[in-house]
């Protein structure tokens, strides 16, 4: 058995799922930071509100990770 493969396949599946969720969440956070930087530099309150609204998606992914 390769050293990188665990005996319990469900562990590997869960670890892959968690890794994918963390990467997805990181990408969203990166986008949010970039958008927030633009919103602040342009003093765009509508864009800032949209950023805050989109934060719920990041929160959902965080909860999903916590449930694993």
């Amino acid at each position: 058995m390769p050293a990188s493969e665990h005996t319990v396949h469900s562990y590997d599946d869960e670890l892959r799922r968690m890794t994918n969720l963390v990467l997805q969440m990181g990408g969203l956070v990166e986008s949010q930071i970039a958008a927030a930087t633009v919103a602040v530099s342009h003093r765009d309150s509508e864009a800032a509100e949209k950023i805050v609204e989109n934060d719920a998606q990041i929160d959902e992914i965080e909860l999903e990770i916590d449930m694993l």
Side-chain angles (χ1 to χ4, degrees), residues 1 4-19 68:
M1 178 195 297
S4 64
E5 188 174 324
H6 295 277
T7 18
V8 181
H9 294 286
S10 62
Y11 175 83
D12 288 328
D13 292 342
E14 192 172 303
L15 187 58
R16 269 190 291 278
R17 176 79 176 130
M18 184 179 293
T19 300
L68 290 176

Side-chain angles (χ1 to χ4, degrees), residues 3-68:
S4 64
E5 188 174 324
H6 295 277
T7 18
V8 181
H9 294 286
S10 62
Y11 175 83
D12 288 328
D13 292 342
E14 192 172 303
L15 187 58
R16 269 190 291 278
R17 176 79 176 130
M18 184 179 293
T19 300
N20 289 336
L21 286 169
V22 169
L23 290 172
Q24 180 184 4
M25 186 172 66
L28 289 172
V29 169
E30 185 177 14
S31 296
Q32 291 283 83
I33 291 171
T37 302
V38 171
V40 168
S41 68
H42 291 111
R43 298 179 186 263
D44 186 344
S45 60
E46 287 181 29
E49 287 177 21
K50 190 173 183 180
I51 293 164
V52 171
E53 290 171 8
N54 291 339
D55 191 49
Q57 187 178 8
I58 295 168
D59 293 341
E60 288 176 20
I61 295 171
E62 181 182 13
L63 287 174
E64 191 172 346
I65 291 168
D66 288 344
M67 299 298 279
L68 290 176

